[in-house]
Amino acid sequence: MYREYSQSHALIKGLTIWRGARIATMDSTLTQDYGLLEGHDLLVKDREIVALLPEGSYELPQDALVHDLEGLLLTPGLIDCHTHLVFGGNRAKEWEMRQNGVPYSEIAAQGGGINSTVRETRHADFNSLYDRALPRMIALAADGVTTLESKTGYGLNLEDERKQLAVSKKLGESYPIEIVPTLLSAHAIPPEYAGKGDAYIDLVCQEILPRLWQEEGFEAVDVFCESVGFTLAQTQKVFEAAKSLDIPVKGHMEQMSNLGGSELIAQYEGLSVDHVEFLDEAAIKAISQSGTVATLLPLAYYFLRETQKPPIELLRKYNVPMAVSTDYNPGTSPFTSLRLAMNAACVLFGLTPQEVMAGVTVNAAKALNRQMTHGQIKAGFVANFVAWDVVDPVEIFYEVGYNPLVYRVFEGKVTH
């Protein structure tokens, strides 16, 4: 028996009961792959999972709403823990130029690159940013996503970073999905601060970060620590500003080179290090001790035609939790399909299907500081789950293009 039965469950009013499904709980205390349970009912009250009970082991409440899933597979709602959802314009023309052999330096000289997205985001009003982001979010939801992170980083000043956060908040309020906002003001040096990176970091630390934190606009602080982003010293300055306000940190780290950003994250017990293609063993040891998640972004690796893969075997050796995410953004990963990212994590990085499922459930929840409430089908957790017309979990992301989703349940309510 998965959980001891208590007669109190029969006395709870307003239960919704999901029965007849195979349940991939993703509960690591269970011995089956994916924490798989058969012959169990899922009991939900309002937005919370009440219990998982063997079929026929309890008295069915008279007012219970019962869904017979007739052999479908239940998994936790998927979690996309690294996206840049809100921005203006797109970079399709720039990509076309790259495919035609135009070097990035020339594209940047013509106003392309990240600063083109900054320009378009600054020029766009709230409604146009919302209207552009909404179908992207809906596409992710239709793929089974119930929780996703949305980073800033295309405003790069107080007003426009605030605008990105406001759009993210409105998206989460107007649709059955949980949006987790992250402040990525240290994403790039804006044009008006060209050649003055330290001065811009001062602006982030002294004005943007504390003001938007006071307004409760975000949950964590992110930094792009890279040769084309910010130095280790500048990154540490941002982390110190965050620490002074007790704000969790994370980072875009070791994507193109090894500057030591992941070891720095470990010192601050950061939530996650993301990309990590150039992560070394010393950094892996450090993040394994800090409990930091390594978030893998295989679609960016694919789109940029990178060749340096993340050190998967070392991450396994040190038992570092690995998350998988889309990294949806206009420049390096324009893909609104977490199932595609899951497939790519297997094909390109060699993850097992079990690792990939953990990467978009339990480990993704940990990367967003939600490991006690999200990412598992378990009593006391939020009732976010998906019913799929498949037998085994691997089928969810084996065949991309065809979508086997039947029901998407968000906080106890069917949304698809």
Side-chain angles (χ1 to χ4, degrees):
M1 183 180 295
Y2 172 69
R3 187 171 294 278
E4 288 299 320
Y5 170 62
S6 168
Q7 287 291 336
S8 63
H9 291 125
L11 303 177
I12 296 175
K13 293 184 179 297
L15 280 177
T16 300
I17 298 174
W18 299 79
R19 58 176 27 170
R22 305 174 76 235
I23 305 175
T25 67
M26 299 309 298
D27 183 346
S28 62
T29 65
L30 301 180
T31 56
Q32 293 285 340
D33 285 344
Y34 311 102
L36 195 65
L37 280 178
E38 302 201 50
H40 281 66
D41 294 348
L42 173 61
L43 281 63
V44 173
K45 168 68 173 176
D46 298 326
R47 65 186 297 272
E48 184 177 315
I49 296 171
V50 174
L52 283 159
L53 300 174
E55 295 173 4
S57 68
Y58 62 99
E59 178 185 347
L60 185 67
Q62 290 185 351
D63 67 341
L65 174 64
V66 179
H67 295 276
D68 188 349
L69 295 180
E70 299 181 340
L72 298 179
L73 177 76
L74 281 184
T75 70
L78 306 187
I79 300 171
D80 197 350
C81 63
H82 182 132
T83 86
H84 305 251
L85 185 67
V86 178
F87 57 86
N90 69 61
R91 307 247 286 279
K93 189 64 180 178
E94 176 183 315
W95 182 63
E96 182 181 42
M97 293 170 68
R98 290 209 315 267
Q99 297 308 112
N100 286 324
V102 180
Y104 182 78
S105 57
E106 185 175 333
I107 294 171
Q110 296 179 27
I114 190 171
N115 276 323
S116 68
T117 302
V118 172
R119 183 173 60 251
E120 293 292 338
T121 302
R122 288 178 172 183
H123 288 166
D125 62 17
F126 177 96
N127 289 334
S128 63
L129 288 175
Y130 177 88
D131 290 343
R132 292 294 299 276
L134 181 63
R136 304 165 188 153
M137 182 186 70
I138 291 174
L140 287 165
D143 235 25
V145 172
T146 53
T147 304
L148 67 85
E149 185 205 42
S150 179
K151 300 180 189 289
T152 68
Y154 295 122
L156 307 187
N157 59 37
L158 178 62
E159 176 185 358
D160 292 301
E161 291 285 289
R162 179 188 284 131
K163 181 173 62 176
Q164 281 192 271
L165 289 170
V167 171
S168 294
K169 181 179 180 181
K170 181 65 175 178
L171 288 166
E173 291 172 345
S174 61
Y175 195 83
I177 195 167
E178 183 175 5
I179 305 291
V180 181
T182 294
L183 187 75
L184 181 57
S185 299
H187 191 196
I189 299 172
E192 64 272 21
Y193 279 86
K196 299 183 291 184
D198 287 340
Y200 177 64
I201 288 296
D202 287 341
L203 176 72
V204 172
C205 295
Q206 297 169 17
E207 181 178 0
I208 297 175
L209 188 157
R211 286 280 297 276
L212 296 179
W213 178 250
Q214 186 179 31
E215 296 169 13
E216 299 182 347
F218 62 92
E219 294 189 15
V221 169
D222 197 346
V223 179
F224 182 34
C225 180
E226 190 51 77
S227 56
V228 295
F230 294 95
T231 67
L232 198 64
Q234 290 167 337
T235 300
Q236 184 165 15
K237 193 167 185 177
V238 176
F239 287 172
E240 280 296 314
K243 182 180 179 181
S244 71
L245 296 171
D246 199 26
I247 306 171
V249 299
K250 55 174 54 181
H252 288 59
M253 302 297 181
E254 277 70 68
Q255 180 184 9
M256 305 171 188
S257 61
N258 189 342
L259 297 186
S262 295
E263 287 184 88
L264 182 65
I265 281 274
Q267 294 176 30
Y268 290 85
E269 298 183 333
L271 297 175
S272 69
V273 289
D274 301 32
H275 286 290
V276 299
E277 281 86 342
F278 287 83
L279 196 63
D280 62 19
E281 188 165 5
I284 292 172
K285 287 181 181 179
I287 63 172
S288 71
Q289 294 167 3
S290 64
T292 302
V293 175
T295 300
L296 309 178
L297 307 173
L299 296 180
Y301 174 93
Y302 154 76
F303 197 69
L304 293 173
R305 294 188 289 188
E306 294 178 355
T307 57
Q308 176 82 19
K309 297 181 181 181
I312 302 301
E313 288 301 328
L314 282 174
L315 291 168
R316 288 171 175 155
K317 176 181 176 181
Y318 289 96
N319 296 312
V320 174
M322 292 182 284
V324 174
S325 185
T326 61
D327 189 19
Y328 174 72
N329 75 82
T332 63
S333 186
F335 304 103
T336 53
S337 173
L338 186 56
R339 290 170 54 241
L340 178 61
M342 295 164 73
N343 183 284
C346 286
V347 174
L348 299 178
F349 292 167
L351 267 66
T352 67
Q354 293 86 350
E355 288 172 329
V356 166
M357 277 300 300
V360 297
T361 54
V362 287
N363 293 340
K366 184 174 173 58
L368 296 182
N369 206 21
R370 281 163 166 72
Q371 62 270 29
M372 302 306 295
T373 55
H374 292 61
Q376 298 180 60
I377 297 179
K378 189 174 183 179
F381 278 55
V382 175
N384 292 344
F385 51 89
V386 183
W388 310 88
D389 187 13
V390 301
V391 175
D392 297 310
V394 68
E395 296 176 55
I396 295 167
F397 51 99
Y398 155 73
E399 187 176 355
V400 180
Y402 160 72
N403 191 343
L405 186 149
V406 179
Y407 297 108
R408 174 183 176 273
V409 178
F410 177 73
E411 296 186 349
K413 297 181 179 178
V414 177
T415 66
H416 287 67

